[in-house]
Amino acid sequence: MGAIQAPDRPEPPGNPAQTAGIRAGTVRHKVLPNKRLLAARRCYDDDMKRESKTNPGLRLSHLLCLMCGVFLFSEPSLKAADQPHHKPPNIVFVLADDLGWAELGCYGNHFNETPHLDQLAADGVRFTAAYAAAPVCSPYRAALLTGRHPVQTGILDYLRPNSANALSTTFETLAERLSAAGYRTGMIGKWHLTGYQYHNAEYEVRPASHGFHWNIGSEVKGVGNGANFWPYRFRDQPVRWLDFTDNRLGEDEFLVDRMNLEAVDFIKRNAAGPFFLYLSHYATHSILHGKPELVKKYIAKHPPGASTRTRCYLCQDRGLSGDPLHHWAGDHNPHLAAMLESIDDGIGQIRRTLTDLGLAENTIIVFSSDNGGETGVTSNRPLRGGKSQLFEGGIRVPQIVCWPDRLPAGQACSQPTINTDFAPTLLEAASLPSESRQSDGISMLASWCAPQQQQPERELFWHYPLDRPHFLGGTSAAAIRRGDWKLIHRYDTGERHLFHLSEDIGEQHDLATTHTDVADRLQHRLTSLLRQQSARIPSPPVLRQTGALLFADHFSSGRASDRWSRSSEWTVEDDVLHRVSGGTDSTRLFLKDADFGDVVIRFDFRLDQSQDVRLVTGSGGHYNSVLHIRPDHFYLQTAKDDDAPYFSFRHGECAYDFEPDRWYSMTVEYNGNQLVAHLDHEHTVLAEHPIIDRKRTYFAFQIDQHPAQIDNVQIYASRKSPQADAQLARLREQTGQHPVAKTPAEEFSILKTNAHEWHYQRSPAYRGLVQEVERQDAELKARFPAAFRSIKELKKDVAAERKQLLAEDGNFKDRLFATYRARRAIETFLKEQHEDFDALPAIRQARELEKLRTRWKSSAEYIALVNAEASAQKTLQSTWPQLFVSEDQMRQQLKSKHEALKDDPVYQALRADRAAAWSAREQFLLEHEPRLETLRQQKSGR
């Protein structure tokens, strides 16, 4: 299919000042597009006809002037930085929401009326193969501002109102780069790069945190669903969903008009320049709701198509049933056309303002959309599909760029481009360096300046993983375009679709089975690109369907939820949670106030040097299920519980060679007495046990003493999937498909542990043997309590004595509080050395204190404080030494008590009886589990 040509437009008149300069023979040191050269030629011809009759000598001077003009005005690749007296260009970026590729007149639409956008295309460059980095909103916006692929920003789907994810401030945005270079930066409208505190998100990241000096019209809660008129409240919601505090256009103020007004005012306020304005419209996002007079106009122009909805809230609020006001018309939607016309009016206002201020020539205007049109309210034909899909209709978008100083007029560019290209392109246009490592896009300035010039072939790719199909029809998938070939690979089914776009822009002819060599090459390249980008593909739930987000932490901008316990062995850096090296052999990070039932948990992890990463859940202060992740496998384990009673049991295991420096995503589902964890639907582990079917009030990550990383922790409410029973049967069949290699000793230990629990629950005879051992233990403890107390009980004794002394002994209280004051003095000193310490999230503060201790350990003031604390602690411990006994000392005390009893005949008899009961229990297992005896002999070398 050939490129749709821009409509013919009359040549706009030349700038009088420039014309005068040419007539006077003055050289203008700026790069002008070809239309200005033509204007110069026309001026020359007119002058020559008029003046050559009376002054033939002028012919030569005009010819020399024109030659200079040809040299200066026809070189589009001359960089602005090389031009004397150059002023950085102003930038106006106008983004529509959910506007399809074929909605503008200059892209062939005959229903919608977009004269100003059509004129913008006639005065600039229209792109026919411009793409969004994702088929939905938030990923596009993050990619636009950072130049980074959604994989890198961590925003792969639209952000829900209570999302803990946000565009991290660790990314340097286009606005920040331009601001640092002296630009005034402003943002109007839709942000959608954060969760909202109104919806209980723990924090928000606003435009001001990303380099915008001024911002208005952005949402403070979930998008308003058609509440596009003042006072911008949706139905009976108590608050405006926008941050507008006043009304500027009367009682019928329309959102698009208000945003256009704010845009014009921003330009006027910053006319001295340079400025960067990001005008981010909410239109044409559904629920569509245009101005009544324009809606009537388009209804009269063409009857609206049939409604795609049987119910419309906006119609209901007017006492109407169905959708008689055509908000959901499937084609010729009058609301979409009306809202688009309002956007188009704004383009006209902006251009007139720039012209009036003398800024039009040196202002870059970009117009585009964040993804394809929503198929419920429009058709993206000739493209297939729409918003949420990786077909062309979901990701190919309109794009127009106009910059009279530099770009040619009325040309179309077929060079593929993606919105990660905007940041490096605009930075180059502003003569600012753009380091390649800071962008996944490339500068398209050469193609902007020479749209018809052939550029090297490039490849674009998309990564859009979903747990279940999008409500608009999109599926979990990835895609790659290389040259004219495009491959879509579905994550959910494994299907591949291959299209040749130059011959089949509508993607109607799937060539995956007839051109398998091409499909294989593209598949291999796509896999390679995703791997290079560390793309994570979360495994969709198999037993549950996710619901509301109960808790999440993405550690964006170095933040972390205050619900995590504090530990110096954990910190947040580079937007991820780190278990730092050293410290205790194993450390846990607890989530406070956990209260979960049957949930779906997801987290990303990187093993680094760790040999054991665990997700631990439980209830009543005890853990009851553990997911272990080790370098060569992962498995599930349930725990001992004396109240039930249950014993530890090793459940499903799956061999997997984890690369230490690669990120993986784990999905964990609780479904009654079933627990399943999976990397994908092939690598799964299953546990089934009554102890799992409990309320979870205990949640922690536990990692050995080595470094490891955790990211994107999410806990979802869930409900049982309709396919749960069939999926459970499949999971049971998969058990053992990826066996883990073990030594005889390891296998013996696991089998014995599992046999103990299995026979206890099913064999009365074995249960009796176990209970006899427990009875013997209880009698020994009753007769010799000092020798048979557990470490846990001894610790409780110490805690009880400490509590009693604190209540009754004033001297102890004074000494104890002296140690507290000494420790606080040390912390206060260290915090004073870090001016932003209190602003750090709680999870980082403990680790930062350890760093400060190391940094200031040689300071005389710090040494004095440490000595004072040590002295106070020494006094306390020397006066009450029984309160400061270590676990090793406790074990030694117990051992000494046993040594003292070894000649006691009662003790000896009871120990002998206990040993006999234990031996009988062990013999039962060996007799009923033949494999145990074989393994026992193998591990003994017999």
Side-chain angles (χ1 to χ4, degrees), residues 151 161 199 350 370 407 549:
V151 168
H199 296 280
I350 288 170
D370 62 348
L407 308 188
L549 183 65

Side-chain angles (χ1 to χ4, degrees), residues 543 686 723-735:
L543 301 181
L686 173 67
Q723 292 80 39
D725 292 340
Q727 291 283 17
L728 184 60
R730 178 183 66 82
L731 291 171
R732 287 169 177 159
E733 291 176 359
Q734 282 185 212
T735 299

Side-chain angles (χ1 to χ4, degrees), residues 8-60:
D8 293 334
R9 296 287 180 179
E11 185 70 20
N15 185 308
Q18 292 173 344
T19 304
I22 293 170
R23 285 175 176 169
T26 304
V27 175
R28 293 286 181 179
H29 292 285
K30 61 168 64 178
V31 176
L32 297 180
N34 293 338
K35 65 177 183 178
R36 296 306 184 206
L37 176 58
L38 295 175
R41 286 174 174 165
R42 287 197 298 270
C43 291
Y44 167 77
D45 291 340
D46 292 343
D47 285 351
M48 290 304 295
K49 289 176 183 178
R50 184 172 57 252
E51 299 180 26
S52 61
K53 296 178 181 179
T54 57
N55 190 354
L58 285 176
R59 184 185 304 270
L60 179 59

Side-chain angles (χ1 to χ4, degrees), residues 724-881:
D725 292 340
Q727 291 283 17
L728 184 60
R730 178 183 66 82
L731 291 171
R732 287 169 177 159
E733 291 176 359
Q734 282 185 212
T735 299
Q737 285 190 359
H738 300 281
V740 178
K742 306 180 189 68
T743 66
E746 290 170 335
E747 190 175 351
F748 176 85
S749 176
I750 294 169
L751 182 56
K752 181 182 175 185
T753 298
N754 286 358
H756 174 62
E757 163 69 356
W758 197 91
H759 287 287
Y760 183 89
Q761 303 301 336
R762 294 164 179 79
S763 170
Y766 182 71
R767 191 179 309 121
L769 293 174
V770 173
Q771 290 170 348
E772 176 60 21
V773 173
E774 293 172 346
R775 189 189 68 77
Q776 295 285 353
D777 286 338
E779 185 170 354
L780 277 165
K781 187 170 184 178
R783 295 291 296 270
F784 307 101
F788 286 93
R789 295 185 66 75
S790 67
I791 298 295
K792 188 174 183 179
E793 288 172 324
L794 291 175
K795 286 183 175 180
K796 285 184 178 180
D797 291 344
V798 171
E801 183 178 357
R802 181 187 291 260
K803 183 177 181 180
Q804 182 178 358
L805 286 168
L806 188 60
E808 300 174 358
D809 190 330
N811 187 34
F812 173 77
K813 182 176 181 180
D814 290 342
R815 296 292 185 184
L816 180 64
F817 281 25
T819 65
Y820 292 166
R821 287 192 296 272
R823 291 192 192 109
R824 282 198 301 270
I826 294 173
E827 287 196 3
T828 299
F829 168 79
L830 294 173
K831 290 176 182 178
E832 289 172 349
Q833 315 312 314
H834 190 304
E835 60 181 16
D836 297 325
F837 187 89
D838 290 336
L840 294 174
I843 199 171
R844 291 182 58 188
Q845 290 182 353
R847 181 60 184 168
E848 192 61 32
L849 278 176
E850 293 305 307
K851 292 181 180 179
L852 290 167
R853 289 183 204 280
T854 301
R855 192 177 308 155
W856 291 92
K857 65 182 180 181
S858 300
S859 162
E861 185 175 355
Y862 178 73
I863 292 172
L865 291 171
V866 169
N867 289 339
E869 191 271 338
S871 177
Q873 186 68 26
K874 182 178 180 181
T875 300
L876 185 68
Q877 290 186 209
S878 63
T879 310
W880 293 276

Side-chain angles (χ1 to χ4, degrees), residues 35 40 101 164 198 231 275 282 290 360 380 402 512 551 583 610 654 664 755 793:
K35 65 177 183 178
W101 181 74
Y198 181 87
F275 60 78
Y282 297 92
N380 293 302
C402 181
F551 172 81
S610 173
C654 179
Y664 298 89
E793 288 172 324

Side-chain angles (χ1 to χ4, degrees), residues 856-911:
W856 291 92
K857 65 182 180 181
S858 300
S859 162
E861 185 175 355
Y862 178 73
I863 292 172
L865 291 171
V866 169
N867 289 339
E869 191 271 338
S871 177
Q873 186 68 26
K874 182 178 180 181
T875 300
L876 185 68
Q877 290 186 209
S878 63
T879 310
W880 293 276
Q882 73 278 16
L883 302 181
F884 301 94
V885 180
S886 68
E887 287 190 13
D888 286 341
Q889 289 174 317
M890 290 178 182
R891 292 189 186 93
Q892 189 59 45
Q893 289 173 3
L894 291 172
K895 184 177 180 181
S896 298
K897 287 181 171 39
H898 280 282
E899 287 291 327
L901 291 170
K902 66 180 181 179
D903 294 329
D904 186 313
V906 175
Y907 174 80
Q908 291 177 347
L910 289 175
R911 288 300 297 263

